[in-house]
């Protein structure tokens, strides 16, 4: 006679009995699962191939302002300069910016190389010791984790270097494109946007291939079993650590460089000596243009590569803890990577919308085309994610989770996983558009900040700070809803998928983000070459839109960093539980709460260090610029042929950034290790929670405050307050009735606000992304080390 099931008033025991009766819901690998590796490899290769195609299009523009078939507006002699002189100056500036950027990256990557060489053996030995069983060190896990770390670090360096090289290769070509009198808008925009695309597609293609090839090679070192896959994902977590470690140096070092040069050049040149933006007589102007590339391009590239690596590692690690996902085959485990792979193809299609189907033909088109990129890529990505989830993820045919799969104790499903990715995808879009509202001068908040300049720099700064704090409200609510919804549907696996959803259109986001610095450099080159004012008008309009889209990009980066940090937090807890340590996060526990307080303080400590570093470096820059003005008064004579010593200012920024980036990086890297070894895993859980909760809000407010001050200055410079300026400062109105707004006290107040905001939006704010992620990935990688110290209670347990 058949057995009668045990009666129970509880659903949980019945569900467990069902699962015991049918192992893993009778899930087996599907044909689609077997095709996943090919999908990942092919899409990665497509990304790299398309980046090469875009680079060829950019390189087709000759570095010659007279290279168009039509007569150029820019070919008219300006201030006595003819076309030949302008071309010679263009090439000279192009070479100077390229040389300066290369010199900085060589110096920075030498330090990174030393760090990799020292960190590799130390990390390998610590992990081998932490993973030991019965007194025997697990050297295999230690060395393979170290190898993963090195691969991630080198990949991050390569991605940052490619982005920087492409940006400096394209900036002068964007200037040349703007010289075209009939197609200048289209040519200059397409050049800058395609340059961003080169970085976006090469980074995503290289990243996905590097991670998958690493997985495929290391897979051979472990058995094809539940435990084998857990160990594999544990050691591959080093890939994310390597990428994020280099991102820390890139973000902090690049941020200090660019803002030391920018603030120094602004204070000594624009504010004190009343020189125009990017005046060739300003000794700091080349360093400023170099900084746009090493900070906003190389730093951002390394940052978002780190986000991709860490989100992928978190999703893979948590996914490997589900026997049902493992039973569904290698393709089901690789579902997070297939999302990123398909995102490359979606972004490729979207790219043609901006450059061919609906190109920029006039100034009003710029923001529309850029925002369309975000919407179109998200719309196309949504059904693709659904198809991947249905094809690759498991669906049990029996047991307590029929039609779905267990992830931890949560019964999830294909639809739930799709929704988690969609939450991140569309949540990122919404955060981007909220960021745009608070940082674009097309909307009320920035216009209010601009109007506050009427009564001086102090009220401008007060309004800007208030705007930044207020701008954090909606993004934090959105992130909270994403976290709640994703965790409810699929636990920490859902949060990792939401982070990957936000990063699924990374190629497009990077194209938009890199576009801004390229246009900024192009405008500087146009000014220093003394091209026709209409060329500078185009590049300034492109740059103004680039400032807004850069703020949108920072919003994406901050939102994804929050989700990545939380996903890694979940991966940390998962690793601890996999070893048999039953970990719960109890805020009433004194060690956990103490860790929470310290973690909440770390973003302030970190920001103080980076802000002061910018201030010290900018102070050196101002002193040097003033020295050159005093030594050669001809530099202050308009149109004088004398030129300053640019190299000295470049050296000041380079030396200062490399010197000052070490302490903030050490703070972030050692904080979780000290907390885990000395105070135990409870302290680490509080540290991570506090760092994420505090860091995301500081990052949003700092980035948006600086972006608002920057665009308030541009709003006034474009004539947005001309009527007000003419009324309260009639002395800046010439005999023809033209308002020289850049000579007004209102504009100077805006410049002061912009100068204060520079380190907020380009150094401290963006670098907080790394703080949230790096502390979390370090905790994941060294989880077993923490557990090996008094069973996770830390050294303090020996003292009490």
């Amino acid at each position: 006679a058949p057995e009668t099931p045990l009666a129970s008033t509880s659903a949980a025991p019945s569900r467990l009995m069902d699962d015991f009766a049918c192992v893993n819901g009778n899930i087996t690998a599907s044909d689609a699962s077997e095709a996943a590796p090919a999908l990942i490899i092919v899409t990665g290769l497509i990304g790299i191939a398309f980046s090469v195609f875009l680079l060829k299009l950019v390189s087709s523009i000759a570095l010659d302002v007279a290279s168009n078939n039509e007569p150029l507006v820019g070919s008219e002699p300006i201030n006595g300069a003819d076309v030949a002189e302008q071309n010679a100056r263009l090439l000279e500036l192009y070479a100077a910016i390229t040389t300066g950027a290369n010199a900085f990256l060589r110096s920075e990557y030498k330090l990174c190389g030393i760090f990799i060489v020292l960190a590799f053996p130390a990390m390998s030995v610590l992990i081998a010791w932490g993973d030991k069983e019965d007194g025997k060190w697990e050297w295999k896990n230690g060395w393979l984790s170290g190898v993963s770390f090195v691969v991630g670090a080198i990949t991050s360096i390569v991605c940052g270097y490619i982005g920087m090289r492409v940006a400096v290769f394209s900036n002068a070509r964007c200037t040349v494109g703007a010289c075209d009198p009939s197609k200048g808008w289209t040519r200059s925009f397409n050049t800058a946007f395609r340059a961003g695309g080169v970085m976006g597609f090469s980074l995503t293609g290289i990243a996905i291939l590097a991670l998958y090839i690493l997985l495929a090679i290391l897979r051979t070192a472990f058995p094809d079993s539940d435990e084998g896959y857990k160990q594999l994902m544990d050691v591959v977590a080093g890939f994310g650590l390597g990428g994020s470690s280099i991102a820390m140096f890139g973000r902090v070092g690049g941020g200090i460089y660019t803002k030391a040069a920018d603030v120094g050049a602004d204070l000594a040149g624009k504010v004190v000596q009343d020189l125009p933006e990017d005046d060739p007589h300003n000794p700091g102007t080349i360093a400023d243009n170099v900084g746009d590339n090493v900070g906003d391009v190389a730093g951002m590239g390394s940052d978002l590569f780190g986000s991709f690596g860490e989100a992928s590692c978190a999703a893979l690690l948590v996914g490997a803890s589900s026997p049902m996902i493992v039973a569904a085959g290698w393709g089901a485990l690789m579902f997070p990577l297939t999302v990123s792979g398909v995102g490359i193809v979606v972004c490729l299609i979207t790219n043609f919308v901006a450059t061919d189907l609906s190109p920029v033909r006039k100034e009003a088109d710029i923001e529309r085309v850029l925002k369309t990129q975000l919407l179109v890529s998200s719309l196309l990505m949504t059904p693709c994610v659904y198809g991947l989830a249905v094809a690759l993820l498991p669906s049990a045919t029996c047991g307590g989770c029929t039609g779905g799969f267990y992830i931890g104790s949560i019964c999830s499903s294909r639809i739930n996983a799709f929704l988690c990715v969609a939450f991140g995808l569309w949540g990122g879009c919404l955060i981007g558009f909220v960021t745009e509202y608070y940082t674009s001068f097309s909307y009320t908040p920035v216009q209010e900040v601009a109007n506050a300049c009427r009564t001086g720099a102090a009220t401008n700064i007060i309004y800007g700070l208030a705007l930044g704090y207020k701008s954090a409200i909606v993004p934090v609510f959105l992130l909270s809803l994403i976290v709640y919804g994703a965790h409810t549907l699929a636990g920490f696996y859902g949060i990792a998928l939401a982070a990957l959803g936000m990063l699924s259109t990374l190629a497009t986001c990077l194209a938009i983000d890199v576009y801004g610095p390229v246009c900024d450099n192009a405008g500087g080159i146009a000014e220093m070459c003394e091209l026709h004012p209409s060329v500078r008008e185009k590049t300034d309009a492109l740059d103004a839109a680039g400032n807004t889209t850069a703020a949108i990009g920072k919003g994406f980066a901050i939102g994804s960093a929050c989700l990545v940090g939380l996903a890694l937090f979940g991966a940390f807890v998962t690793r601890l539980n996999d070893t048999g340590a039953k970990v719960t996060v109890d805020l009433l526990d004194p060690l956990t709460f103490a860790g929470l307080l310290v973690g909440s303080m770390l973003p302030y400590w970190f920001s103080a260090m980076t802000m002061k570093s910018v201030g010290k470096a900018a102070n050196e820059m101002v002193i040097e610029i003033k020295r050159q003005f005093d030594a050669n008064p001809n530099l202050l004579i308009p149109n004088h042929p004398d030129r300053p010593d640019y190299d000295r200012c470049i050296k000041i920024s380079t030396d200062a950034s490399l010197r000052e980036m070490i302490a903030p990086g050490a703070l972030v890297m050692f904080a979780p290790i000290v907390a885990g070894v000395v105070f135990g895993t409870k302290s680490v859980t509080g540290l991570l929670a506090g760092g994420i909760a505090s860091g995301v809000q500081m990052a949003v407010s700092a980035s948006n405050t600086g972006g608002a001050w920057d665009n308030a200055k541009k709003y006034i410079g474009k004539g947005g307050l001309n009527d007000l300026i003419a009324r309260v400062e009639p002395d800046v109105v010439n005999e023809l009735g033209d308002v020289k707004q850049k000579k007004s006290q209102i504009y100077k107040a805006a410049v002061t606000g912009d100068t204060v905001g520079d380190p907020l939006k380009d150094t401290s704010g963006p670098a907080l992304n790394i703080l949230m992620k790096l502390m979390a990935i370090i905790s994941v990688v060294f989880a077993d080390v923490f557990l090996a110290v008094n069973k996770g209670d830390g050294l303090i347990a020996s003292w009490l």
Side-chain angles (χ1 to χ4, degrees):
E3 294 183 13
T4 304
L6 294 174
S8 173
T9 57
S10 171
S14 174
R15 180 178 298 174
L16 291 174
M17 289 293 292
D18 289 344
D19 289 345
F20 181 78
C22 67
V23 178
N24 294 330
N26 286 339
I27 292 171
T28 57
S30 65
D31 292 339
S33 177
E34 300 300 323
L39 174 66
I40 294 168
I41 293 171
V42 169
T43 52
L45 292 173
I46 288 173
I48 295 173
F50 189 64
S51 70
V52 173
F53 168 74
L54 292 176
L55 182 60
K56 286 187 176 181
L57 292 178
V58 173
S59 63
S60 65
I61 297 178
L63 289 177
D64 181 359
V65 295
S67 60
N68 300 283
N69 294 325
E70 302 176 57
L72 283 180
V73 176
S75 65
E76 300 172 15
I78 302 297
N79 301 327
D82 60 20
V83 172
E85 291 175 355
Q86 291 170 343
N87 272 330
R89 186 66 179 151
L90 179 84
L91 293 172
E92 178 188 347
L93 294 169
Y94 171 73
I97 294 170
T98 302
T99 301
N102 286 340
F104 170 77
L105 282 192
R106 273 197 304 271
S107 300
E108 182 183 49
Y109 288 158
K110 281 180 185 176
L111 286 180
C112 291
I114 294 170
F115 167 75
I116 294 169
V117 170
L118 295 176
F120 169 65
M123 172 182 169
S124 300
V125 170
L126 278 174
I127 292 174
W129 173 76
D131 283 356
K132 65 180 182 292
E133 293 183 9
D134 300 325
K136 184 179 179 182
W137 290 28
E138 283 286 348
W139 286 109
K140 182 177 76 172
N141 289 358
W143 292 123
L144 292 181
S145 294
V147 168
S148 297
F149 166 80
V150 172
V151 172
I154 292 175
T155 308
S156 181
I157 288 174
V158 169
C159 291
Y161 184 76
I162 289 173
M164 186 279 298
R165 290 289 298 156
V166 170
V168 298
F169 180 77
S170 308
N171 51 20
R173 288 171 169 81
C174 181
T175 305
V176 171
C179 291
D180 190 322
S182 60
K183 300 177 182 177
W185 288 107
T186 304
R187 294 189 72 201
S188 54
F189 174 88
N190 284 0
T191 301
F193 189 73
R194 284 169 175 157
V198 175
M199 182 180 187
F201 288 99
S202 63
L203 183 146
T204 49
I206 291 170
I208 196 172
L209 284 176
L211 180 53
Y212 183 75
I213 290 170
L214 179 68
L215 280 163
I217 293 173
L218 296 188
R219 181 185 178 188
T220 61
F222 298 96
D224 286 336
S225 63
D226 292 4
E227 190 59 34
Y229 283 141
K230 286 179 185 177
Q231 291 181 13
L232 170 62
M233 301 313 171
D234 286 348
V235 300
V236 169
F239 179 87
L241 175 57
S244 199
S245 298
I246 300 304
M248 168 60 74
F249 294 122
R251 259 302 190 193
V252 175
I256 292 171
Y257 183 108
T258 182
K259 291 304 112 178
D262 196 358
V263 172
D266 282 355
L267 286 176
K270 288 195 289 187
V271 176
V272 176
Q273 300 296 345
D274 203 26
L275 294 175
E277 179 99 16
D278 293 312
D279 191 293
H281 294 98
N282 190 331
T285 191
I286 294 293
D288 184 10
N289 281 278
V290 171
D292 292 335
N293 298 295
V294 299
D296 297 340
V297 178
M300 172 63 88
S302 295
D303 180 2
L304 289 175
F305 167 78
S307 291
F308 163 80
E310 289 158 329
S312 300
C313 289
L316 293 169
L317 197 151
V318 178
S321 69
S322 168
M324 288 188 170
I325 292 180
V326 173
W330 182 249
L333 267 177
M334 294 299 106
F335 170 69
L337 292 189
T338 62
V339 171
S340 300
V342 170
I344 293 174
V345 178
V346 167
C347 292
L348 185 154
I349 296 169
T350 308
N351 189 273
F352 286 108
V353 175
T355 56
D356 296 274
L357 298 180
S358 180
V360 170
R361 294 189 174 90
K362 56 184 183 299
E363 182 177 351
D365 292 340
I366 303 171
E367 286 197 22
R368 174 188 59 80
V369 168
L370 291 172
K371 285 191 287 188
T372 300
Q373 287 289 289
L374 298 176
L375 284 173
V376 171
S377 59
S378 298
L379 284 170
L380 294 177
M381 193 67 200
T382 303
C384 294
V385 173
Y386 176 81
L388 288 172
V390 171
L392 297 177
L393 291 176
S395 178
T397 58
C398 62
C401 193
T402 303
F405 57 92
Y406 279 122
I407 188 80
S409 60
I410 296 176
C411 177
S412 189
S413 67
R414 296 166 171 173
I415 300 300
N416 287 2
F418 156 70
L419 289 174
C420 291
V421 179
F423 288 164
L425 176 65
W426 286 100
C429 260
L430 290 175
I431 290 172
F433 290 135
V434 169
T435 304
E436 182 205 17
Y437 174 73
Y438 280 104
T439 57
S440 170
F441 60 56
S442 301
Y443 302 103
T444 303
V446 171
Q447 293 174 8
E448 289 180 344
V449 173
N451 278 301
C453 295
R454 175 180 182 177
T455 48
T459 46
N460 176 31
I461 290 171
I462 291 169
Y463 266 71
L465 289 172
L467 179 149
Y469 298 145
K470 191 175 181 181
S471 71
I473 297 171
V474 175
V476 167
F477 272 118
L478 287 171
L479 288 169
S480 301
L481 291 172
I482 292 170
V483 168
Y484 178 77
H487 191 275
T488 301
L489 294 175
F492 282 110
Y493 187 63
I495 294 174
L497 291 180
L500 283 170
M502 199 170 284
L503 293 166
S504 61
T505 55
L506 181 56
T508 293
C509 293
L510 275 170
I512 292 173
D513 207 70
V514 174
Y515 149 89
V518 173
C519 294
D520 193 359
N521 264 204
I525 291 171
E527 181 78 25
M528 288 184 280
C529 289
E530 300 176 341
L531 297 175
H532 194 278
S534 66
V535 177
R536 183 69 201 240
E537 287 171 11
K538 290 187 182 75
T539 57
D540 277 354
L542 293 168
D543 179 35
N547 278 335
T548 300
T549 56
I552 293 173
K554 289 184 179 75
F556 267 100
I558 294 166
S560 64
C562 174
L563 295 179
V564 169
L566 190 54
L568 290 168
F569 184 20
F572 172 63
V573 174
T574 300
R575 279 208 69 184
L576 297 179
N577 288 328
D578 284 345
T579 60
K582 297 302 178 184
V583 176
T584 56
V585 181
D586 181 7
L587 291 181
L588 297 179
D589 181 272
L591 278 175
T592 304
F593 190 75
L596 182 75
L597 289 176
V598 173
S600 300
M601 173 273 298
L602 284 178
Y604 292 89
W605 188 358
F606 179 83
S607 295
M609 295 172 79
T610 53
M611 291 283 286
K612 186 175 181 181
S613 295
V614 171
K616 287 166 63 178
N619 192 45
E620 291 181 48
M621 185 73 71
V622 169
I623 292 171
E624 170 59 24
I625 294 173
K626 185 177 184 301
R627 183 195 67 78
Q628 291 198 37
F629 285 151
D630 292 341
N632 185 2
N634 290 337
L635 295 177
L636 298 176
I637 300 175
N639 307 322
H640 198 280
D642 281 9
R643 290 295 182 262
D645 181 2
Y646 299 127
D647 292 340
R648 177 60 189 155
C649 291
I650 291 174
K651 188 176 187 305
I652 288 174
S653 272
T654 300
D655 293 347
S657 61
L658 297 179
R659 181 180 67 245
E660 298 291 335
M661 74 181 184
I662 295 173
L667 172 68
V668 176
M669 291 179 183
F670 285 116
I673 294 175
V674 171
V677 171
V678 178
F679 299 103
T681 56
K682 291 180 180 179
S683 174
V684 175
T685 58
L687 189 83
L688 298 182
I692 294 169
S694 173
V696 67
Q697 296 172 80
M698 280 198 72
V700 171
S701 62
S703 295
N704 290 350
T705 291
W709 278 327
D710 192 353
N711 276 340
K713 179 196 72 175
K714 284 184 167 55
Y715 178 70
I716 296 171
K718 274 181 64 71
L721 295 183
N722 275 3
D723 291 343
L724 173 64
I725 292 172
R727 191 167 65 251
V728 301
E729 297 185 59
D731 54 309
V732 300
V733 181
N734 65 17
E735 60 276 5
L736 299 177
D738 297 327
V739 178
K740 301 298 181 182
Q741 62 270 68
K742 293 186 179 181
K743 301 289 185 181
S744 69
Q745 294 302 311
I746 290 176
Y747 182 76
K748 290 180 180 178
V751 170
T752 300
D754 176 37
T755 306
V756 173
D758 276 336
L760 287 174
K761 72 180 174 67
D762 290 320
T763 307
S764 297
L768 286 171
N769 302 346
I770 316 293
L771 179 142
M772 291 185 276
K773 298 179 296 182
L774 185 54
M775 289 202 307
I777 191 66
I778 287 174
S779 302
V780 172
V781 171
F782 291 100
D784 287 335
V785 176
F786 302 157
L787 287 173
V789 181
N790 287 325
K791 298 181 180 179
D793 290 333
L795 293 175
I796 193 173
S798 303
W799 305 333
L800 298 178

